Amino acid sequence: MSANKLVAPEGRADAPARETARRARTRERLLDAAYRQFSEHGINGASIEAIADDAGFTRGAFYSNFGSKEELFFALTERENRARLETLREHFSRLVAPLGETGGKPAPAHIEGIIADVMSFQPDIRQWCLMQSEFRLLALRDPDVAPRFLAAAQSFQRELATMIDTAVRAVGVRFRIDALDLTRLLVDQFDSAMQEAILAGDEDPDRSVREKVMRTLPLLVHSLTTTLDGD
Amino acid sequence: MSANKLVAPEGRADAPARETARRARTRERLLDAAYRQFSEHGINGASIEAIADDAGFTRGAFYSNFGSKEELFFALTERENRARLETLREHFSRLVAPLGETGGKPAPAHIEGIIADVMSFQPDIRQWCLMQSEFRLLALRDPDVAPRFLAAAQSFQRELATMIDTAVRAVGVRFRIDALDLTRLLVDQFDSAMQEAILAGDEDPDRSVREKVMRTLPLLVHSLTTTLDGD
């Protein structure tokens, strides 16, 4: 198949393309506004009017893009998860690939370096944590929201698990527990450290989350890995 | 000191004792009602009127016992944490003490049995999880509530950590990580399994939490313990 087949004849596709791009920008601005409003006022406190207004649009523009506040919330979660996974993927491949086969388990200090680097690229810990806590509670209380929330969380964990599994296999080790179970363990530790940093009123939550996570994660990963030949 | 000194002369202390007992019963009934109302309607949804009414008291009776809804919530958390710790303590000592010195690390299957037994005594997983999630979110958002919430959570974790540490030492092993860090890990895994069971709409959340926790906890404890002489 020639690549030319995928290119629209000159000029023809411009108007729909512009429309699509404009629509995408509107959605992005609504999502940005929603992030600000949700994390500041909570799900119940943030009205659709306030979100539309913050983004510089009308209520009508909101509803032509999202059916409800919950739908917007799911779109926002998906966008943020996507962005985080992309960043993690880049850093994993940049950091882990050059290690090659070490012929043994990487030392905790080594694992520590990788986790520290990967974690230093998690933006907006405070806002993200508040938004997630809020959304999780809504899902825990609302059986209509719960399945979709759980599916989004599990999809994130599965992608991250595959990424982590690929990374450790490239280094010549494997986990002694299911990669998904381990991923859950890491994600839970991270979430819990985020919450604790916020509760403690830490001025630099990002740094204190890193410090907390470093107390357990490297040893945890080290203890739960073994060489591919069962060392 | 004679034990007799602690006993009030006959008849004299009856009235104040009755008053104290009556007051304690009122508090207990308000706490029971609050548990029902909070877990059903959430913190914001449960009014002081509804709680007092559910307990069969007036608003006045509420305020003569608790200064605010948050204070009631803290009292409830403390009561529930206390009850859970007591139950755990009984089961730990009943289960772990007879093991004695095994002269090596207990096998994961053995640890599994202990955890299964300890966990089978966690009542009301759903209600407790909802109440805790709600309270945690309130604390995350309110800097006035946060320090006290964090202190209560940490005090629970410290007591549990001491209990776990004592139990494993009695068996002749020690943790390769700080007992408090390990406890946090276990508590987080438990919380996360509770939330997932509720989100998944499991008909028997207690059972599915046990199943989930069993996938990781025994191996985790096994991997992170070593014999006292560093085996």
Side-chain angles (χ1 to χ4, degrees), chain A residues 185 188-197 200 208 211-213 215-216 220, chain B residues 150 153-162 164 175 177-192 217 220 224:
Chain A
L185 210 68
D188 288 345
Q189 285 299 288
F190 184 75
D191 284 352
S192 149
M194 278 204 296
Q195 292 181 356
E196 214 175 295
S208 69
E211 282 172 7
K212 269 195 192 71
V213 165
R215 289 174 59 92
T216 49
L220 199 64
Chain B
L150 185 61
Q154 287 175 337
S155 150
F156 176 81
Q157 287 169 359
R158 266 195 308 272
E159 283 203 51
L160 185 54
T162 305
I164 293 175
F175 290 119
I177 60 172
D178 183 81
L180 191 55
D181 288 332
L182 179 91
T183 304
R184 248 190 280 245
L185 211 67
L186 303 181
V187 169
D188 289 344
Q189 286 297 288
F190 184 75
D191 285 351
S192 149
L217 253 53
L220 199 65
L224 294 172

Side-chain angles (χ1 to χ4, degrees), chain A residues 107-121:
Chain A
H110 205 151
I111 298 167
E112 197 170 309
I114 293 174
I115 296 177
D117 192 285
V118 164
M119 282 193 51
S120 64
F121 297 93

